Amino acid sequence: MTGTKIDLNPQAEQMADESMLRTLRAQAAAIWPQERELIKRYGLAAECRILDAGCGSGQITGRLAAMFPNARLDGIDLLEDVLHIARATHTKDADRIHFSQGDVYALDFDPDTFDLTLCRHLLQAIPEPGRVIDELIRVTRPGGTLHLVAEDYGMLHMPETARDADPFWHSVVIPFARATGTDARIGRHLHRILVNRPLLSLRVDFVTVDTLRVPRQTLADLMVAWRDGYSAPLARHGGMDYADVVAHFDAVIDAIHDPNEYVLWQVPVWSATLKS
């Protein structure tokens, strides 16, 4: 008896939507200033080799290239359209940044290739993340570092408004993820995947994306992009009318713009050194 084939890209429609480019820009602007400080502590050599797995339009690949001007970088993504944007944006570093189409479940790299392997904002959107983790570990050299930004939609905290947004993330977003075979709380669940892998010094830090540390407009731009790209599928799978989903996002966006309100998203960043 043949089992049901698992869709390894169940959010393909959302990933290909133009709103995802806006999401990637806003997330990079919001998260990178704190994330950069975490990467500094890895003590990478000047001429290191870096993989950005699920690089999208190269928002972070380019920042890494600026941070490590002697590094060689590979960015891989499943979508050729976003890779075209990445290549066009980073022409001045084309001699040391290579963007290619690739599958995170079967990376086209030799074992023990990279000093730093990153996977950012991807694990919450795919099923069977353990398979991807194993591939990331395989291509990272002994003594190298794994760096994972794993979203968790149970770590969004909003002020109480006419449409209370806190229950929205739990009652609509998490069921949507379950319906697509993904995990909207992978940020906290990643420990159970990582702890039994051949890793040393497993660590989790939190990037605090809030209205004190991040410009309100940047955070609002992120929510607008999420609203535009995800309201329809959330309504289909989350048991809420489309208009209500949009209204919940709009209430959050209004709260972000209100200088009297405070909005917070804690973003887990897991890191580990591979055993030698």
Side-chain angles (χ1 to χ4, degrees):
M1 182 176 174
T2 303
T4 303
K5 186 177 180 180
I6 296 174
D7 182 0
L8 296 179
N9 192 15
Q11 297 182 29
E13 180 183 350
Q14 291 76 55
M15 295 298 160
D17 190 83
E18 64 80 25
S19 63
M20 184 54 61
L21 292 174
R22 290 185 276 130
T23 294
L24 295 173
R25 284 195 298 269
Q27 284 179 160
I31 292 172
W32 177 250
Q34 295 174 61
E35 187 180 3
R36 185 177 189 275
E37 298 307 305
L38 301 179
I39 293 173
K40 280 182 180 179
R41 70 172 186 228
Y42 300 150
L44 293 169
E47 296 183 353
C48 57
R49 187 86 187 270
I50 299 173
L51 172 64
D52 187 3
C55 65
S57 56
Q59 291 285 336
I60 297 301
T61 323
R63 286 169 167 85
L64 287 164
M67 185 176 180
F68 299 102
N70 297 314
R72 293 168 56 204
L73 302 97
D74 283 274
I76 66 115
D77 201 275
L78 195 60
L79 300 176
E80 185 59 43
D81 287 348
V82 296
L83 290 170
H84 178 74
I85 294 170
R87 294 185 192 105
T89 305
H90 298 95
T91 53
K92 70 181 180 67
D93 290 312
D95 59 328
R96 61 191 187 92
I97 303 178
H98 181 237
F99 291 105
S100 59
Q101 190 172 29
D103 181 355
V104 291
Y105 291 93
L107 294 167
D108 191 21
F109 297 105
D110 292 333
D112 307 340
T113 296
F114 296 99
D115 300 289
L116 174 62
T117 300
L118 302 95
C119 186
R120 307 176 68 267
H121 305 292
L122 177 65
L123 296 173
Q124 84 287 343
I126 57 173
E128 300 188 1
R131 287 177 53 189
V132 174
I133 296 297
D134 287 337
E135 271 295 275
L136 299 174
I137 291 172
R138 181 185 66 80
V139 301
T140 306
R141 67 167 181 82
T145 300
L146 195 64
H147 176 97
L148 309 169
V149 177
E151 296 181 12
D152 191 316
Y153 292 93
M155 295 184 185
L156 280 150
H157 307 283
M158 308 292 167
E160 187 172 356
T161 64
R163 293 179 180 271
D164 194 356
D166 280 347
F168 169 76
W169 305 110
H170 292 272
S171 62
V172 177
V173 176
I174 291 172
F176 157 74
R178 289 197 190 103
T180 58
T182 61
D183 183 359
R185 290 178 288 192
I186 189 65
R188 73 191 70 180
H189 296 151
L190 201 54
H191 180 267
R192 67 174 67 140
I193 296 174
L194 294 171
V195 71
N196 293 313
R197 263 62 178 187
L199 305 169
L200 291 173
S201 62
L202 182 61
R203 174 170 175 161
V204 62
D205 294 278
F206 292 87
V207 169
T208 302
V209 177
D210 69 354
T211 46
L212 292 178
R213 293 166 180 83
V214 175
R216 287 181 181 267
Q217 188 59 56
T218 299
L219 194 47
D221 289 345
L222 175 58
M223 290 293 167
V224 169
W226 282 358
R227 179 198 66 194
D228 295 349
Y230 276 91
S231 289
L234 285 173
R236 285 198 301 268
H237 297 291
M240 181 179 285
D241 290 341
Y242 173 79
D244 285 337
V245 172
V246 172
H248 273 83
F249 275 113
D250 286 344
V252 171
I253 294 162
D254 288 344
I256 291 169
H257 283 301
D258 186 341
N260 294 315
E261 298 290 4
Y262 176 76
V263 172
L264 165 67
W265 183 25
Q266 293 285 97
V267 183
V269 180
W270 289 89
S271 59
T273 304
L274 268 65
K275 290 183 179 179
S276 301

